[in-house]
Amino acid sequence: MTTEKPLPDPADTPPHATAAAARPRGTVTDPAALAPTWPEEFAERYRAAGWWRGETFGGMLRERAAAHPDRVAVVDPATDRRWTYGELDARADRLAAGMLARGIAPGERVVVQLPNIAEFFEVVFALFRIGALPVFALPAHRETEIAYFCRFTEAAAYVVAAEHGGYDYRALAAHVRAEVPTLRHVWVAQGDPGEFEALADVAAPAPARPDVPGPAPHDLAFLQLSGGSTGVPKLIPRTHDDYLYSLRGSNEICGVDEHSVYLCVLPAAHNFPLSSPGTLGALYAGARVVLCPQPGPDTAFPLIEREGVTLTGLVPPLALLWTRAAETTSHDLGSLDVLLVGGAKFSEEAARRVRPALGCALQQVFGMAEGLVNYTRLDDPEETVVTTQGRPISPDDEIRVVDDADDDLPPGATGHLLTRGPYTIRGYWNAPEHNARSFTADGFYRTGDIVRLTDTGHLVVEGRAKDQINRGGEKIAAEEVENHLLAHSAVHDANVVGEPDPYLGERTCAYVILRPGAEPPTALAVKRFVRARGLAAYKVPDRVEFVDAFPHTGVGKISKKDLRAAAAQRPGTP
Ligand code: OOB
């Protein structure tokens, strides 16, 4: 039994811990009404199969804290803090009580943009306890993205660190608050809060429990961001039941138990380090999470040695860097049992180097924030581990490989991957038009990935049909960047494609047709223009090329295929 309950005696609850009258009486959009869900017969099947067990995140932490309050849950090396399960649980309660007192209501959205610091977990578990929904932004996001997330989700609050990586998030917050009327609070989790409220002051000063019933297991837990292929990112509604199942399944496949130590190297809010098996998988298992402030080997290797890290997850460019650095490191990496690599295609040659260099097992992971996650298994033959991207977590993950007309292809053929299952969403948040395109009538998600199934049921990713660039695991929707390029007064038309890059796998090239008669900008000026639009830096085109015309297909559409081919032949120029 894991559903949250208020304290039995309300008299024990300090006044600030109640959902006080302070909350504006404006309408709180009912999040469930905006999120398509599984038809009842599927939900029943997933419950009967034992995939959905009626747990919630708030209840999960409560249970772990009761079972082993003194075990370390989260290590934050940058600030030399070690929070036990008991402490994390109590902190989440106090923060939830403080947020309720400030009018955050169940179902409301709170944009969370934090680096890899302990407060990330305090904040998300506080929100889980209330039943308010974290919206997971990445530290790289800037004004354009954050304002959009806040506006689109009608967010009530936004949580940042004062500074990170030389960037001042308070300035970003001031900008966003001025633009988004629903945003009632900005909370600063670390550093000088400036004009905003420090998160430490939001938390109730004395032990307190949030005076709300808490969410039900089938309720939404959070909104995750899609990599996307459209002009603006789509939001992915995940429930407690479905996400917790993906954690349990991932833990089993990756051998995570209470003795594991997970190093969180990638940005904590991303679905891969969050759940595959990630920090939440580790906490589910009662294991230890170590937050890595920087992803490079210079930071990570000493932490692996000091904390006895047993597993971690990396995108391919980082895996390459680590593999190279491991050959000469003086640090003892002997505790590392498993390295998960995913987010983008890991080349076979690089995959072969992992075990000899790092002395650990490799698991490839091919996942998506929309749901489906595939892993190579720890007992798979080496050839399978280095040549495939794994097989699904669940026996109830349905996989279809189809042609352009949605007809199933014969076994082993290469085609579009469609999927449906107990932890794959049935639709994006508040996006009926996208949903009609991104899902089949019977609920399969169109992943946009081109795959082939081996006779052992493993998937090999062969390409991509979606108009997206995968820049070393960071996803860029071509249309989003094209829209920003088109805002330049000298730009007549623009197309963004991926081109091969030896380190990132792919990088971006923008083909631009200038407006006749306009003062021609330099490539650098165009990049600066995009940057100044308030976009995450990874979305700024790596290369800008001016052309007179775009190649066309037989029916007169612009041929991105030909542009990609042209870009592939001319890499190297900035
Ligand atoms: C992960 O999630 P997202 O949502 O950032 O991106 C999903 C997309 C997939 O549809 C695919 O196009 C690509 O990223 N991808 C891979 C891959 N893993 C992801 N392409 C080739 N090989 C792989 N191993 O990226 C994500 C979520 C959970 C776990 C791992 C990765």
Side-chain angles (χ1 to χ4, degrees):
M1 181 51 226
T2 56
T3 322
E4 289 296 290
K5 288 275 180 287
L7 277 185
D9 181 2
D12 290 339
T13 311
H16 51 256
T18 54
R23 171 151 61 87
R25 291 276 154 238
T27 48
V28 175
T29 308
D30 174 11
L34 298 171
T37 188
W38 292 265
E40 196 44 43
E41 76 259 31
F42 283 86
E44 272 168 27
R45 195 168 104 202
Y46 298 151
R47 282 191 199 102
W51 311 143
W52 295 357
R53 293 198 182 159
E55 296 170 303
T56 64
F57 279 100
M60 178 273 267
L61 178 61
R62 180 82 77 234
E63 285 182 359
R64 301 299 174 271
H68 39 75
D70 299 327
R71 194 185 288 169
V72 173
V74 177
V75 179
D76 183 337
T79 48
D80 211 10
R81 289 178 298 175
R82 305 172 86 78
W83 288 352
T84 62
Y85 276 88
E87 191 172 356
L88 178 59
D89 184 52
R91 279 179 170 271
D93 272 346
R94 285 171 45 204
L95 187 56
M99 287 177 169
L100 279 169
R102 281 159 182 74
I104 300 298
E108 279 196 306
R109 277 74 54 202
V110 173
V111 174
V112 179
Q113 186 184 30
L114 291 175
N116 291 0
I117 57 174
E119 285 82 356
F120 176 83
F121 298 99
E122 185 181 4
V123 170
V124 301
F125 277 100
L127 294 169
F128 290 154
R129 286 255 154 99
I130 295 172
L133 310 182
V135 180
F136 285 125
L138 298 173
H141 288 134
R142 293 294 178 258
E143 292 92 351
T144 301
E145 288 105 350
I146 299 294
Y148 172 74
F149 302 148
C150 290
R151 209 178 301 116
F152 187 65
T153 66
E154 299 172 4
Y158 171 39
V159 188
V160 291
E163 281 180 86
H164 175 68
Y167 184 76
D168 187 343
Y169 288 86
R170 292 161 302 192
L172 168 55
H175 184 96
V176 171
R177 193 171 60 172
E179 264 191 36
V180 183
T182 59
L183 202 61
R184 307 196 296 273
H185 305 278
V186 172
W187 292 317
V188 180
Q190 198 174 67
D192 173 4
E195 66 186 283
F196 304 112
E197 192 176 14
L199 192 78
D201 295 337
V202 177
R209 282 195 183 182
D211 185 17
V212 280
H218 60 263
D219 283 338
L220 295 186
F222 57 82
L223 298 177
Q224 185 56 274
L225 306 181
S226 78
S229 52
T230 46
V232 286
K234 294 172 298 245
L235 290 149
I236 296 167
R238 302 290 301 256
T239 65
H240 292 262
D241 257 341
D242 92 75
Y243 211 65
L244 281 157
Y245 170 44
S246 79
L247 300 182
R248 232 178 21 249
S250 297
N251 281 351
E252 199 174 310
I253 291 165
C254 304
V256 175
D257 62 22
E258 75 268 28
H259 305 295
S260 302
V261 181
Y262 180 82
L263 184 69
C264 179
V265 175
L266 300 171
H270 188 272
N271 199 61
F272 178 15
L274 198 60
S275 67
S276 301
T279 57
L280 293 181
L283 294 175
Y284 187 89
R288 179 178 303 181
V289 170
V290 178
L291 293 163
C292 200
Q294 299 293 333
D298 290 352
T299 309
F301 287 4
L303 281 175
I304 293 175
E305 180 174 325
R306 189 183 93 189
E307 298 291 335
V309 168
T310 62
L311 82 163
T312 186
L314 300 177
V315 287
L318 277 176
L320 282 174
L321 200 67
W322 281 38
T323 310
R324 218 173 299 138
E327 286 162 8
T328 54
T329 187
S330 58
H331 291 286
D332 180 1
L333 307 179
S335 61
L336 199 61
D337 294 326
V338 173
L339 176 67
L340 292 132
V341 180
K345 179 88 179 249
F346 198 34
S347 76
E348 185 185 327
E349 303 78 72
R352 281 191 197 283
R353 293 207 290 269
V354 167
R355 188 188 282 277
L358 286 154
C360 66
L362 166 69
Q363 284 190 282
Q364 292 210 42
V365 45
F366 162 41
M368 50 207 76
E370 286 81 356
L372 180 70
V373 181
N374 306 276
Y375 295 98
T376 56
R377 301 308 200 253
L378 289 167
D379 58 0
D380 275 341
E382 181 77 1
E383 279 313 292
T384 307
V385 171
V386 298
T387 59
T388 81
Q389 280 65 58
R391 59 187 172 83
I393 292 176
S394 176
D396 260 335
D397 280 321
E398 298 172 70
I399 298 290
R400 289 179 63 199
V401 181
V402 302
D403 63 15
D404 288 346
D406 278 358
D407 290 323
D408 287 293
L409 289 166
T414 298
H416 302 276
L417 170 63
L418 309 185
T419 187
R420 186 169 77 170
Y423 60 97
T424 297
I425 57 163
R426 290 302 188 109
Y428 293 104
W429 162 274
N430 196 13
E433 281 168 29
H434 287 311
N435 289 340
R437 280 197 300 272
S438 302
F439 294 82
T440 64
D442 54 355
F444 279 82
Y445 167 54
R446 299 182 190 278
T447 65
D449 293 311
I450 305 289
V451 302
R452 163 170 73 78
L453 259 177
T454 68
D455 50 16
T456 53
H458 289 73
L459 288 161
V460 179
V461 181
E462 298 283 14
R464 205 177 321 122
K466 51 194 168 191
D467 197 6
Q468 182 189 78
I469 294 104
N470 190 334
R471 193 177 182 277
E474 286 181 312
K475 316 299 182 322
I476 300 160
E479 187 186 337
E480 185 182 355
V481 183
E482 287 159 5
N483 286 339
H484 288 285
L485 289 164
L486 287 170
H488 192 293
S489 60
V491 171
H492 168 69
D493 203 355
N495 269 288
V496 175
V497 295
E499 64 183 20
D501 180 271
Y503 176 59
L504 294 167
E506 239 182 337
R507 60 178 200 158
T508 48
C509 177
Y511 283 98
V512 170
I513 299 177
L514 290 173
R515 223 181 262 281
E519 180 73 28
T522 61
L524 188 62
V526 172
K527 290 186 197 182
R528 286 206 177 118
F529 173 82
V530 174
R531 186 75 181 262
R533 304 265 304 164
L535 272 194
Y538 67 83
K539 295 181 188 170
V540 176
D542 292 295
R543 193 158 73 91
V544 174
E545 183 148 333
F546 300 107
V547 291
D548 294 330
F550 297 133
H552 286 88
T553 63
V555 289
K557 290 201 294 186
I558 290 166
S559 171
K560 284 220 162 171
K561 199 169 148 217
D562 287 343
L563 281 174
R564 273 181 214 115
Q569 278 165 15
R570 315 184 51 186
T573 14

